[in-house]
Amino acid sequence: MIAHVLGARPNFVKAAPVIAALSDRQRRDGGPQHEQRVIHTGQHYDERMSDVFFRELGLPEPDVNLGVGSGSHAAQTAAIMIALEKEFIERSPELVIVYGDVTSTLAAALDAAKLHIPVAHVEAGLRSFDMTMPEEVNRRLVDQLSDLLFVTSPEAIGHLAAEGVDVGRVHFVGNPMIDTLLSHLDSFDTEAVRAAHGLPERYIVATLHRPANVDDPEIAAGLVKRLHEIADLADIVMPVHPRGRKVLTEAGLDDHPRVKLLEPLGYVDFIAAVRGSAAVVTDSGGVQEETTILGVPCLTVRPNTERPITITHGTNRLVTAEGLVPAVEQALASAAGRREVPPLWDGQAGPRIARIVEDRLDG
Ligand code: UD1
Ligand code: UDP
């Protein structure tokens, strides 16, 4: 049995094509040789942070939801590890597949490694080289614990080699998050989203949820001030991640007639909104990749990115809070920049991963 461990919003978007491709191969080859079990840790639990993705992306209902909920890093990691250990011991999976860089990813990889269950890491080798980010800690540790490392971008192979990972375990397969994007292109209805939220022809989508931007009230207030300046230029629509809701609202985010705050959007509506936007202001990892493919200018409010290919090939630019307003002005004034699709971001990452996983389990 193959166990997929999912916990947070970006996990769902990355896992959907891998689970679908494994199911397809097994249907085609005439039988469920390797049963799949979807384990939801419950790290994200709001309807709009979790259930909506299962419905929209055709993910199977989780076989089990560990229901760990929110907590400090230690509390959340420990709660996931205790519940998952029991699950792994009862079910003895042949392989545990983990996705991305969230707390659930690390907790699952640690449990599996200690129980001598092989781990496959989807989206291995990305590095921001910024150990103040919880995700960077998670990525480095998970990669050390993994037997199969699936990378989305060529430079990841070098990062892993530099950390002593056996490159024989590393497979450059493309980007499953882009598989999801490409397979839903016909579903994104920008006009419907515009009408539903009363958006004008030209608008900007903003998302912020990194601790470095939204946890400290002073830093958040600085960003709110910039967002208000941007809203003087163009309407902003902002689906607010629950992490920053309180601090951003208390900093007065809503106090501008051209800033429209929404609950987190489902995947289809969110990408439809991004696709029709004049620019995106974000600190999300996944959104940097999606805007690269959609050709929408992306201004990433961070000092670094673990996804440099979105800058070299895509529409992404790193900006400071101070640089944000001029960067938006520039993006609004110019047509979307020239872009090149990163290698293997072709919608086939899921099938490539499925083939390698099956070869590994059968061989
Ligand atoms: C997590 C990931 C981050 C990822 C993000 C995607 C870690 C360390 N961080 O950050 O890498 O970019 O998910 O969205 O795993 N909350 C709710 N409802 C929910 C989920 C969370 O209200 O359904 C609130 C809670 O107050 C919680 C806070 O958001 O304490 C933070 O949630 P958590 O899962 O700890 O981290 P994220 O900031 O969501
Ligand atoms: N996303 C979404 N609705 C939103 C905001 C984001 O569906 O309101 C999607 C986004 O398109 C991407 C994923 O959620 O596929 C990224 O998640 P997030 O930004 O929370 O995490 P990160 O990528 O930063 O880890």
Side-chain angles (χ1 to χ4, degrees):
M1 182 260 287
I2 299 168
H4 302 269
V5 180
L6 319 181
R9 176 164 75 182
N11 291 163
F12 312 137
V13 184
K14 293 163 195 173
V18 177
I19 295 171
L22 280 163
S23 300
D24 279 354
R25 281 181 74 84
Q26 290 171 15
R27 250 197 310 273
R28 210 180 46 217
D29 296 349
Q33 301 93 330
H34 302 287
E35 185 200 338
Q36 299 193 72
R37 190 166 168 82
V38 175
I39 304 169
H40 192 323
T41 65
Q43 177 176 346
H44 283 176
Y45 44 84
D46 289 348
E47 208 276 332
R48 287 165 167 275
M49 295 297 288
S50 177
D51 302 24
V52 64
F53 294 88
F54 284 79
R55 275 200 310 278
E56 291 188 348
L57 305 182
L59 275 160
E61 280 284 303
D63 293 287
V64 57
N65 189 320
L66 307 176
V68 298
S70 301
S72 68
H73 283 276
Q76 200 174 48
T77 308
I80 298 170
M81 284 188 69
I82 291 167
L84 261 183
E85 184 183 54
K86 195 160 166 280
E87 165 77 21
F88 288 167
I89 289 173
E90 272 171 19
R91 302 274 172 175
S92 301
E94 299 160 89
L95 179 72
V96 171
I97 308 188
V98 298
Y99 298 85
D101 53 20
V102 304
T103 299
S104 300
T105 314
L106 174 61
L110 263 173
D111 262 337
K114 295 275 178 83
L115 292 168
H116 306 163
I117 303 168
V119 177
H121 184 202
V122 173
E123 204 184 80
L126 295 185
R127 296 291 180 267
S128 65
F129 300 99
D130 177 355
M131 287 295 273
T132 66
M133 294 180 70
E135 295 84 1
E136 184 73 358
V137 177
N138 296 342
R139 290 180 197 117
R140 285 177 181 261
L141 296 175
V142 172
D143 286 339
Q144 287 296 326
L145 299 171
S146 297
D147 299 86
L148 281 176
L149 298 100
F150 295 118
V151 310
T152 56
S153 188
E155 82 283 354
I157 304 169
H159 297 154
L160 292 167
E163 290 168 21
V165 174
D166 170 7
V167 291
R169 298 174 174 190
V170 179
H171 301 269
F172 175 35
V173 291
N175 190 333
M177 194 169 233
I178 301 306
D179 288 22
T180 299
L181 181 74
L182 296 177
S183 66
H184 287 82
L185 276 182
D186 290 344
S187 317
F188 305 132
D189 185 346
T190 300
E191 281 319 312
V193 174
R194 213 180 238 132
H197 300 294
L199 298 175
E201 189 55 30
R202 192 176 77 155
Y203 64 90
I204 288 168
V205 172
T207 76
L208 292 174
H209 72 274
R210 294 256 97 83
N213 283 334
V214 303
D215 283 7
D216 179 317
E218 220 171 289
I219 294 176
L223 283 167
V224 165
K225 179 169 169 275
R226 304 301 176 187
L227 288 170
H228 285 176
E229 289 168 27
I230 294 169
D232 291 337
L233 306 170
D235 287 56
I236 296 181
V237 59
M238 183 158 178
V240 184
H241 188 289
R243 179 179 198 105
R245 189 181 292 136
K246 187 163 176 286
V247 170
L248 289 168
T249 312
E250 283 174 4
L253 181 58
D254 211 5
D255 302 340
H256 191 293
R258 294 178 76 186
V259 174
K260 196 169 197 59
L261 301 189
L262 305 177
E263 291 295 310
L265 288 172
Y267 179 77
V268 172
D269 281 354
F270 180 72
I271 300 286
V274 167
R275 195 184 196 183
S277 68
V280 170
V281 172
T282 194
D283 56 13
S284 159
V287 173
Q288 297 171 55
E289 298 181 340
E290 291 160 339
T291 47
T292 281
I293 296 301
L294 294 169
V296 173
C298 180
L299 304 166
T300 299
V301 193
R302 283 181 45 186
N304 50 56
T305 179
E306 59 291 327
R307 295 165 161 89
I309 204 160
T310 60
I311 298 175
T312 55
H313 289 54
T315 51
N316 191 20
R317 240 181 99 181
L318 299 181
V319 290
T320 58
E322 296 67 44
L324 187 54
V325 178
V328 168
E329 275 173 336
Q330 211 176 12
L332 293 179
S334 53
R338 205 173 71 85
R339 69 203 165 89
E340 196 185 321
V341 175
L344 298 191
W345 288 22
D346 58 359
Q348 295 303 312
R352 289 188 193 103
I353 292 170
R355 185 180 53 72
I356 295 164
V357 163
E358 291 215 328
D359 286 353
R360 157 80 193 226
L361 294 180
D362 296 337

